[in-house]
Amino acid sequence: LGLTKRAPEECQDLARVWEDAARRGLLTQDVANSWGVSLRRANYLRRQIEFTLGIKLPSLGGSKGVETLPRFEHYKIDKKKVRAIIASDWHIWPGEVSFAERIFLKTLEDHTFDYVILNGDVTDQPSVSRHGALRGEERLALVDELEEAQARVKEVERRCKKAKRLFTWGNHDERLDKNIARNAPELAGLKGTTLEDYFKKWHFCLSIDINGRVVIKHSWHSSIHAAHANAVKSGKTMITGHTHRLLTRPYNDYTGIRYGIETGTLAGTMGPQFRYVDNNPRDWHPGFLILETELYKDGSMDVRPQLVDCTLKKPVVYGQTVEL
Ligand SMILES: [Fe+2]
């Protein structure tokens, strides 16, 4: 199979991690994370270990284990009526408080929600990015960034004391954890080595499911047709961030209507976080989503998305214009 042997001592170390994961009922993805490699690479390493040591490693759990692992949890909401507010791609940066952020906070103050969902990329974490610093860029220290992020997220917490707070992992949010996994895997589990430790009042998960009909997660497709592709291929209403676009794409077929929804960004689109875009124009839209769902006795469910478009001077929330 074109496999080459690795150093046996190294293979023994890797095999120990694999066998320990099997004992604890973890998944190949967990092993990949602790090794700081991709899933594909982890499977390749497994074969290499087996080949080098002439042993057979145990198979790791299938998708059943997912729900028992908080970090990769598919958080389930089973409720007749749900009223949620969903914002993504905040990319919090010291001194940069966008208009969309202020409208978001005002909306939390004026209305109540069952769920407040920060749908990924709350943080930016350029200092622990795999990408090198851009020309002349002074990198924001992670400690400063996280302190700022904690303070700003606290403003949300203050305004939604009763709501359940959910935080879905975004690609930027994972940078600290990935950095530890890659460069100091022996520190895994130590306090402060995961982003979760900095936002204790939030329940972290990978995705959220409402009554089996709606999926909310940071990203899936990312082309200009993302919303359409997400709705068609998932077979559900799918709500994502990551693209920084704010739009709803209804899709209808024999099974009924569903939506692909992209939830914009809470950040200022010209902010210093986005220096990597150079000075090019960016088709991004500040705003967020209010989502209501209602499940009926006949099994049908209404999904009512209301985008709050913060490119407007006076955005509209529940049919009313908002002024700061
Ligand atoms: Fe993202």
Side-chain angles (χ1 to χ4, degrees):
L1 291 169
L3 281 172
T4 52
K5 290 196 177 178
R6 286 181 89 82
E9 310 79 63
E10 192 194 356
C11 285
Q12 272 152 9
D13 285 348
L14 295 172
R16 259 194 294 279
V17 174
W18 190 283
E19 281 159 353
D20 183 51
R23 265 191 301 278
R24 292 162 58 199
L26 301 181
L27 310 176
T28 311
Q29 181 66 61
D30 299 314
V31 176
N33 290 342
S34 84
W35 286 345
V37 300
S38 67
L39 188 63
R40 185 190 285 181
R41 180 81 187 145
N43 279 314
Y44 177 81
L45 284 171
R46 174 198 180 172
R47 291 200 305 276
Q48 227 183 6
I49 297 162
E50 291 178 333
F51 180 59
T52 307
L53 301 178
I55 59 169
K56 183 102 190 83
L57 290 171
S59 298
L60 298 186
S63 58
K64 249 174 81 195
V66 168
E67 278 158 26
T68 65
L69 288 165
R71 299 167 66 77
F72 304 108
E73 183 187 15
H74 191 43
Y75 185 90
K76 290 232 158 75
I77 298 172
D78 286 307
K79 272 186 158 190
K80 247 171 134 176
K81 280 188 177 184
V82 171
R83 200 181 198 210
I85 184 164
I86 304 166
S88 69
D89 299 273
W90 195 349
H91 295 270
I92 293 173
W93 199 268
E96 296 286 323
V97 177
S98 73
F99 179 64
E101 178 176 338
R102 288 158 62 213
I103 295 289
F104 179 64
L105 291 174
K106 171 113 180 69
T107 306
L108 287 170
E109 227 158 64
D110 295 347
H111 303 274
T112 53
F113 299 93
D114 309 314
Y115 296 89
V116 176
I117 300 170
L118 293 179
N119 198 18
D121 287 0
V122 170
T123 60
D124 195 81
Q125 302 187 35
S127 58
V128 280
S129 160
R130 278 192 307 154
H131 310 288
L134 291 170
R135 55 196 104 71
E137 179 189 14
E138 237 183 74
R139 287 215 152 164
L140 173 62
L142 188 61
V143 61
D144 296 334
E145 183 190 351
L146 291 183
E147 264 176 28
E148 173 76 11
Q150 283 177 310
R152 304 266 283 277
V153 169
K154 204 175 212 147
E155 291 301 311
V156 175
E157 291 162 10
R158 281 204 310 120
R159 290 165 172 83
C160 64
K161 291 215 167 74
K162 289 194 183 141
K164 174 84 189 168
R165 304 182 196 109
L166 301 173
F167 189 131
T168 58
W169 286 97
N171 46 313
H172 282 256
D173 300 315
E174 287 176 339
R175 285 176 167 180
L176 165 65
D177 294 59
K178 279 188 173 162
N179 193 288
I180 297 285
R182 205 166 38 236
N183 299 314
E186 62 281 8
L187 300 188
L190 260 188
K191 232 191 191 158
T193 54
T194 171
L195 192 70
E196 290 177 65
D197 291 341
Y198 299 86
F199 301 99
K200 290 279 191 200
K201 295 196 168 150
W202 294 78
H203 183 103
F204 277 68
C205 55
L206 193 58
S207 54
I208 299 161
D209 169 295
I210 304 176
N211 298 329
R213 318 279 178 93
V214 177
V215 171
I216 303 159
K217 70 192 299 286
H218 180 63
S219 68
W220 190 17
H221 293 93
S222 56
S223 77
I224 55 161
H225 307 294
H228 177 255
N230 289 343
V232 172
K233 293 190 193 173
S234 69
K236 302 184 184 209
T237 285
M238 196 148 174
I239 299 168
T240 52
H242 192 62
T243 60
H244 299 188
R245 290 185 300 255
L246 187 72
L247 61 99
T248 298
R249 173 62 160 92
Y251 182 81
N252 208 350
D253 62 12
Y254 287 140
T255 68
I257 190 95
R258 57 186 187 266
Y259 303 88
I261 302 170
E262 298 176 45
T263 53
T265 172
L266 271 199
T269 56
M270 299 307 280
Q273 310 92 310
F274 307 121
R275 215 170 303 191
Y276 63 88
V277 189
D278 293 340
N279 287 336
N280 297 325
R282 43 212 84 169
D283 181 24
W284 297 347
H285 317 130
F288 53 92
L289 173 75
I290 292 172
L291 180 79
E292 291 183 355
T293 65
E294 185 166 359
L295 187 65
Y296 300 105
K297 280 202 179 108
D298 65 5
S300 62
M301 189 167 99
D302 277 352
V303 173
R304 305 184 199 110
Q306 298 177 50
L307 297 176
V308 178
D309 177 356
C310 296
T311 60
L312 298 169
K313 215 170 206 110
K314 295 179 190 170
V316 181
V317 175
Y318 283 116
Q320 304 283 323
T321 51
V322 180
E323 277 181 80
L324 291 173

